[in-house]
Amino acid sequence: MENKELIPNLFRTEYQKIVSVLCSLFGIQHIEIAEDIVSDTFLSASETWAIKGTPENPTAWLYTVAKNKTKNYLKRNTVFETKIAGEIKHNAPLQNPEIDIDLSDQNIADSQLAMIFTVCNPSNSEEAQIALALNLLCGFGISEIADAFLSNKEVIYKRINRAKEKLKEENIKIKNPNLSEIQDRMPAVLKTIYLLFSEGYYSISQNTTLRKDFCTEAMRLTYLLIQNKNTNLPQTNALMALMCFHSSRFEARTGLNGEIILYEDQNESLWNQELIDKGTYFLSRSSTGNTLSKYHLEAGIAYWHTNKNDTAEKWQNILELYNNLIILEYSPIVALNRTYALSKVEGNEEAIREAEKLNLTDNHFYYSLLGNLYFSIDSKKAIKHFESALNLAKTVSDKAIISKNIEKLNNLTA
């Protein structure tokens, strides 16, 4: 792999690891210093490797240079040496007064876990937590995050900086949480990762590679939690199962031109069976104990969707899972999705009655669903609903699907 490909790949995999270790060492107040040191390390790699060639072990080279740059910074910065290095030395073993920048696998894992709980602090909004997680935990740049949010770089830059400042104001400690803290904070952590995954899987950004990367990073963070005995909880495994099931259909969800392919039209041979098997494994592991979370129920729904056959058993199970999900954590979108399952079990007319009660008149999915439910019952009403959906739809792909349905109905009624 050439340097122009290698360095960006290493940046994605190693940047957040080194930043996490240095942040754990320096504290949240000096997060920018940690980022500057690591960024400077990658700049050195880019310049040195272009002249001398790629080292035999690029990762080890980065770690060594990051350690040296950190030590040099501590030596030449008097304020930092007094306030921070003094504290580090105070906590270091007496027989080894040299400051240790520990980039062992175990310390990297521990530091990343500590950073997950720091970034997912409820003092920031969910939107800010996601942006900060993408930046600090996953190594995505401002431009990439702006692309995913369909926003501009200035907005994302300000959002991330405000989130960092909030953590500083609250004086949040970067440390591995104890059991009590895990119990209190785990819901926020899992929700942030869940939203991060959703940002990739349901993103309206046309950057397919970026969307896949977001999903991969969400799964990586969840696996970090699973590898730690204190955070390896049933709901953590359920979230991983959910993400595996959804990711298994990633390749089948879009066509050659980036158009969305609906579930019933997907080519099943493009589904990733390895991810489906992993999802089944994690779903099985999530069934221990008495915990039932939204991730369990959503993973169950996603599991049944890995069976393409349109059986009564499948839709009855999906409907029951949706019924439980509405009781556990109601949302209008969950209720809307439930009505599709209801149509498969009870028929379109019953589903229409339930859907119209929701009255989600600002949501194009609401009108699209009604259009589909009325498709074989009343063509005029179906067209009217699809036209309402078309006016509300924002993406080219959504508009194309809706327009195709209107065209089908017009051909039928011609």
Side-chain angles (χ1 to χ4, degrees):
M1 188 182 291
E2 296 181 6
N3 284 343
K4 62 181 181 180
E5 297 175 356
L6 177 62
I7 291 178
N9 285 336
L10 283 170
F11 189 90
R12 178 59 44 78
T13 59
E14 303 304 325
Y15 174 87
Q16 79 277 5
K17 293 180 183 177
I18 308 173
V19 166
S20 293
V21 169
L22 295 186
C23 281
S24 295
L25 195 66
F26 298 162
I28 198 70
Q29 300 296 333
H30 304 280
I31 195 168
E32 287 84 5
I33 293 171
E35 292 178 291
D36 287 345
I37 289 171
V38 183
S39 295
D40 193 42
T41 298
F42 277 90
L43 179 61
S44 295
S46 180
E47 294 171 346
T48 305
W49 298 358
I51 299 169
K52 297 184 178 180
T54 307
E56 188 174 331
N57 189 332
T59 301
W61 189 97
L62 288 170
Y63 287 3
T64 299
V65 171
K67 287 180 181 181
N68 291 335
K69 285 184 180 295
T70 303
K71 290 176 181 178
N72 289 338
Y73 184 89
L74 291 171
K75 288 175 183 175
R76 70 173 181 265
N77 190 300
T78 309
V79 175
F80 201 77
E81 171 71 21
T82 304
K83 290 185 176 179
I84 304 302
E87 180 64 24
I88 296 171
K89 287 175 181 176
H90 175 73
N91 292 328
L94 292 175
Q95 66 271 25
N96 184 20
E98 175 71 20
I99 295 169
D100 180 34
I101 294 88
D102 183 1
L103 286 167
S104 65
D105 289 344
Q106 185 59 55
N107 195 53
I108 286 173
D110 289 344
S111 298
Q112 285 189 295
L113 183 68
M115 282 296 288
I116 290 173
F117 277 83
T118 302
V119 166
C120 301
N121 191 287
S123 61
N124 276 314
S125 68
E126 289 178 357
E127 198 176 49
Q129 288 179 47
I130 296 167
L132 197 56
L134 287 168
N135 183 235
L136 281 182
L137 300 178
C138 308
F140 288 102
I142 302 295
S143 296
E144 294 171 301
I145 300 170
D147 183 12
F149 282 104
L150 296 185
S151 183
N152 63 61
K153 291 188 285 186
E154 185 66 24
V155 168
I156 298 301
Y157 179 78
K158 287 180 179 177
R159 184 180 300 168
I160 289 172
N161 276 350
R162 280 197 298 266
K164 289 177 182 176
E165 289 305 313
K166 188 67 176 175
L167 294 178
K168 290 177 185 178
E169 287 170 16
E170 300 284 335
N171 198 26
I172 304 300
K173 302 296 182 187
I174 302 175
K175 61 183 180 66
N176 277 322
N178 58 38
L179 291 175
S180 174
E181 289 169 330
I182 287 172
Q183 188 174 8
D184 291 341
R185 299 273 300 284
M186 201 66 179
V189 168
L190 293 179
K191 187 171 187 179
T192 300
I193 296 174
Y194 171 81
L195 292 172
L196 195 161
F197 180 86
S198 298
E199 195 61 49
Y201 195 73
Y202 301 108
S203 174
I204 54 179
S205 165
Q206 296 302 306
N207 189 334
T208 307
T209 301
L210 182 61
R211 284 163 41 214
K212 288 179 184 175
D213 285 347
F214 278 23
C215 293
T216 300
E217 281 301 305
M219 294 171 78
R220 181 185 68 81
L221 294 176
T222 307
Y223 192 63
L224 268 174
L225 295 172
I226 287 173
Q227 286 180 304
N228 184 288
K229 65 178 183 179
N230 293 328
T231 53
N232 184 20
L233 305 173
Q235 56 268 41
T236 314
N237 284 274
L239 177 57
M240 180 61 95
L242 167 63
M243 294 191 291
C244 286
F245 289 138
H246 280 323
S247 296
S248 71
R249 298 198 306 276
F250 216 120
E251 298 300 329
R253 291 176 72 236
T254 53
L256 294 174
N257 299 315
E259 70 278 15
I260 297 295
I261 299 175
L262 299 177
Y263 172 76
E264 55 267 23
D265 299 323
Q266 289 176 11
N267 181 352
E268 195 177 347
S269 67
L270 294 176
W271 292 0
N272 187 319
Q273 188 59 48
E274 184 181 352
L275 279 172
I276 292 172
D277 292 341
K278 284 183 178 179
T280 305
Y281 167 76
F282 286 113
L283 186 59
S284 174
R285 288 187 62 179
S286 76
S287 63
T288 59
N290 300 316
T291 301
L292 180 67
S293 66
K294 64 172 284 186
Y295 309 116
H296 285 87
L297 297 170
E298 289 193 27
I301 293 166
Y303 163 77
W304 280 104
H305 276 88
T306 62
N307 176 5
K308 194 75 179 293
N309 296 328
D310 222 12
T311 64
E313 179 192 17
K314 169 184 172 177
W315 289 109
Q316 186 63 55
N317 275 284
I318 290 174
L319 180 58
E320 287 178 12
L321 288 163
Y322 270 124
N323 289 341
N324 287 322
L325 187 55
I326 282 176
I327 293 168
L328 184 67
E329 191 172 315
Y330 178 85
S331 83
I333 296 303
V334 169
L336 189 65
N337 290 337
R338 174 189 172 274
T339 58
Y340 182 76
L342 184 67
S343 73
K344 293 288 190 177
V345 177
E346 301 289 345
N348 284 12
E349 291 184 357
E350 176 63 23
I352 287 169
R353 281 192 288 272
E354 287 296 310
E356 288 180 339
K357 290 177 186 176
L358 299 173
N359 199 32
L360 301 175
T361 54
D362 60 346
N363 189 310
H364 82 273
F365 291 115
Y366 170 70
Y367 288 112
S368 288
L369 176 64
L370 284 172
N372 280 300
L373 294 176
Y374 272 113
F375 204 101
S376 59
I377 297 173
D378 187 327
S379 296
K380 288 183 179 179
K381 281 190 176 180
I383 290 173
K384 184 180 177 182
H385 285 304
F386 279 130
E387 286 174 344
S388 296
L390 190 61
N391 289 331
L392 289 169
K394 295 179 180 177
T395 70
V396 174
S397 293
D398 285 337
K399 287 178 184 290
I401 291 169
I402 296 164
S403 297
K404 193 178 292 184
N405 282 320
I406 293 172
E407 186 181 342
K408 279 182 189 176
L409 284 162
N410 283 327
N411 290 336
L412 288 172
T413 56

